[in-house]
Amino acid sequence: MTMSDDRMKILVLNGTYRPNGTTTELAQSFMEGAKANGAEVDMIMLRDQSIGYCTNCLKCYGFAGKGIAPCSLKDDMDELIPRIVEADGILFASPVHNGFVTGLMTVFWERLSWRVAQPGKPFLNCMSIKTRIDDKVRAVGSIASAGGMPNRLRKSCDDGTPWLKSNAPLMLHGQWIGDIYAGADLEHMPESSQDWHRIYFLRRLSAVQRQQAYALGVQMAKAIQSGGLKPVTIDKMIHPALKWILKLIFTFSPPYRVAG
Ligand SMILES: Cc1cc2nc3c(=O)[nH]c(=O)nc-3n(C[C@H](O)[C@H](O)[C@H](O)COP(=O)(O)O)c2cc1C
């Protein structure tokens, strides 16, 4: 929580294209859970923001100063990033599109990443990532809403959550609190080939999925209140045994070679 304003703030970044779809419904349940536990919660619909495509000019990447790095584009990201920095908790909510988060969410992340993080010291002979916003530890989590795949097949369809889980805590100086995958819960088993074609339209949210989203909101608010959040660093992300094995491999076969 911020020193100047001790209310707990949680921000939901919603990457859906449908404002009243399932992702938003789940995000709203999350918000109710967080609010019931003392958080002030706000949701930003990325679709309503003006967010241009990253031009890869590397102005942010190369910034050596303190705080948020500048960007050569001028749009709503300039207002969004300070709100993210101010937040004690951040939830990323996205439909599963082509097995990943939406294009809207990745466009947003391309514009966010090097403004809040920078290349750190080489780690295991590879480039590392260091946050620029280490003023406080943020709670982070995600909600993924999928149309076709039931929960037990999550691993074969949801690459977005593992990606968020490995990037968001590192870049936003945070701890991963939890994630929800809400897979297809169909009105009935698809019976005809028409049903199979319409599978996304047979989909609805179950009471359990809404409860899970609510519980994630409660969990995030409580984790912030506990004051015991620990930030992820690249060093902590790799198991010591794996670190040792990689060091050995890279001694004989360095991952980078200078062409010449
Ligand atoms: C372009 C596109 C790709 C999709 N890809 C997947 C997919 O890979 N796996 C899946 O389970 N559902 C997929 N879906 C279905 C969406 O995940 C599903 O409709 C989701 O509930 C949409 O969230 P919303 O209600 O917030 O719009 C896709 C939908 C679209 C439009």
Side-chain angles (χ1 to χ4, degrees), residues 8-29:
M8 174 191 355
K9 290 196 177 73
I10 295 181
L11 197 59
V12 177
L13 294 157
N14 188 341
T16 187
Y17 296 107
R18 298 195 299 182
N20 302 315
T22 53
T23 308
T24 305
E25 274 187 60
L26 290 164
Q28 279 161 348
S29 297

Side-chain angles (χ1 to χ4, degrees), residues 11 24 28 38 65 111 118 147 204 226:
L11 197 59
T24 305
Q28 279 161 348
R111 294 289 308 288
Q118 60 194 323
R204 59 183 164 75
S226 77

